[in-house]
Amino acid sequence: MVKRLSYSKQWISEEDIQAVIRVLKSKRITQGEEIRFFERDICKYTGAKFCTCVSNGTAALYLAARALGVKEGDLVLTTPITFCATANAFALCGARIDFIDIDPETLQISPSQIELYIKQTGSVPTVVIPVDFYGISADLVKIHRLSRDYNFKVVEDAAHSIGSSYSYNGEDIFCGACRHSDLSIFSFHPVKNITSAEGGAVLTNDETLFRCISLLANHGIERDPNNFEFFSKDQIWPYELHELSLNFRLSDIHAALGRSQLSRIDLFKRRKQRLFRAYRERLFELEEKEILKLPIWPKGQDPCFHLFIIRLGTKSPINRDELFKGLTKYGIYPQVHYWPLHLHPYYRKVYGYKEGKCPIAEEFAKTCLSLPFFASMEIEDVNFVCATLKKLLLS
Ligand SMILES: Cc1ncc(COP(=O)(O)O)c(C=O)c1O
């Protein structure tokens, strides 16, 4: 039987299963203490002061936008090489979304292009959202510096990068720690570095933002008269609606899975770094022949890689779509991350964005392919994928 290798998948252990069963047998399967423990563990791991776990990464982005008070007409800048949720969450709050091209080497949003945009248009964004694409930290230090110079907020979309760290002034800083952003978000979807099935988190070091997010994650309902100016202080059952929101809570069942997964993140990280090296070594020959371009491991970063993305080089005998189809015949199911967001019908229709707006991102999107890459993958699987690539690209 041909083994099916998808681009990513979860790795569930017996401990994960037992953790979920433990909560299922407990008194509280939602709004219990498991959520608080998961939030505490995330803070301890990343170094961020505050964390609110929510129903998914999209909800986390939406709550970040709400907490920052993003409103009709505010300008929000992000990369076109991301999942639609990064921009949609802010667009739903009324923001005007514009896209900044990526750096051709790092594939992350380009800080110099952000500055050029501000200088050329005279428009200062309310928020910039760098995305830690494929598990590498975006250029957060430079973007943070720009945020000080021009006075905008930074939300780090760290959906790909829980477990990754970057070096700053000799210190290792975890993605999501909010050392160079106002807020950060994680996603715990099964394809991500750790999973809670569905799930996400918003992190910050700012207590006011944290309180606001906690409130908005739970309809806008406040139960603690000490936190707010309460209208009905003497009520026997304190319960007041202070903001307009919806239910974005994570359940304790999901939190138990996420927490158990987080306890194994260092193992996932080590294995993914090993797979990354193995892919690079085996495909180096194709890079030398300019058939492929391999992803980089930037200096000063210790990534928990989310994806392994190759690009077809100028000497490739076939195009990306042909390679995609060729691989599926061997049971290898790659993926494209991402078709540039500004070229999706919604953003074309509403903003009139078209080809040529972000040329580097557009060129990248035509040639990129995410190969199978997940923590439970074995080196033999990497060997099989690389041998198949060579069969398709060297014949
Ligand atoms: C960069 C990025 N941001 C946000 C999200 C949204 O996360 P979720 O699927 O948990 O809603 C994703 C998920 O694919 C993502 O890749």
Side-chain angles (χ1 to χ4, degrees), residues 56-58 61 82-83 85-86 131 157 159-160 185 187 189 192 199 338:
N56 51 56
T58 306
L61 283 158
T82 187
F83 183 59
T86 310
V131 176
D157 182 338
H160 294 187
I185 72 97
S187 161
H189 183 272
K192 299 300 193 304
Y338 292 92

Side-chain angles (χ1 to χ4, degrees), residues 55-224:
S55 45
N56 51 56
T58 306
L61 283 158
Y62 176 72
L63 290 166
R66 288 287 308 273
L68 291 175
V70 170
K71 58 181 187 320
E72 203 65 36
D74 283 351
L75 175 65
V76 170
L77 302 179
T78 191
T79 164
I81 300 298
T82 187
F83 183 59
C84 60
T86 310
N88 291 0
F90 288 74
L92 276 168
C93 292
R96 179 163 63 89
I97 309 294
D98 213 341
F99 297 95
I100 301 293
D101 213 347
I102 56 171
D103 178 284
E105 275 311 299
T106 65
L107 308 176
Q108 314 290 334
I109 190 170
S110 158
S112 57
Q113 290 293 322
I114 296 173
E115 186 159 31
L116 194 65
Y117 179 98
I118 296 172
K119 284 187 172 154
Q120 281 181 346
T121 62
S123 306
V124 176
T126 307
V127 182
V128 172
I129 321 167
V131 176
D132 298 328
F133 185 44
Y134 78 89
I136 296 294
S137 158
D139 210 337
L140 297 173
V141 175
K142 280 196 193 145
I143 294 170
H144 183 241
R145 213 170 284 144
L146 286 175
S147 76
R148 294 281 170 89
D149 293 347
Y150 292 98
N151 193 23
F152 59 78
K153 301 287 183 197
V154 179
V155 175
E156 177 191 3
D157 182 338
H160 294 187
S161 63
I162 186 165
S164 300
S165 68
Y166 58 98
S167 167
Y168 174 68
N169 281 347
E171 196 187 337
D172 288 332
I173 296 171
F174 275 96
C175 288
C178 296
R179 284 285 293 278
H180 297 102
S181 65
D182 298 277
L183 290 158
S184 68
I185 72 97
F186 289 139
S187 161
F188 306 130
H189 183 272
V191 296
K192 299 300 193 304
N193 287 345
I194 63 164
T195 189
S196 60
E198 292 288 348
V202 197
L203 286 75
T204 185
N205 292 323
D206 180 324
E207 191 167 355
T208 310
L209 284 176
F210 165 66
R211 288 202 180 284
C212 184
I213 285 159
S214 305
L215 186 77
L216 293 171
N218 187 29
H219 304 276
I221 291 171
E222 180 59 63
R223 292 179 199 275
D224 185 350

Side-chain angles (χ1 to χ4, degrees), residues 13-27:
S13 69
E14 189 50 36
E15 299 94 84
D16 293 339
I17 294 167
Q18 290 310 320
V20 170
I21 291 174
R22 184 174 45 74
V23 168
L24 280 170
K25 288 182 172 171
S26 73
K27 271 196 190 140

Side-chain angles (χ1 to χ4, degrees), residues 243-261:
E243 290 289 340
L244 192 63
S245 194
L246 297 168
N247 174 2
F248 296 105
R249 293 189 306 263
L250 189 73
S251 83
D252 285 53
I253 303 168
H254 294 87
L257 177 56
R259 219 182 138 206
S260 177
Q261 288 256 310

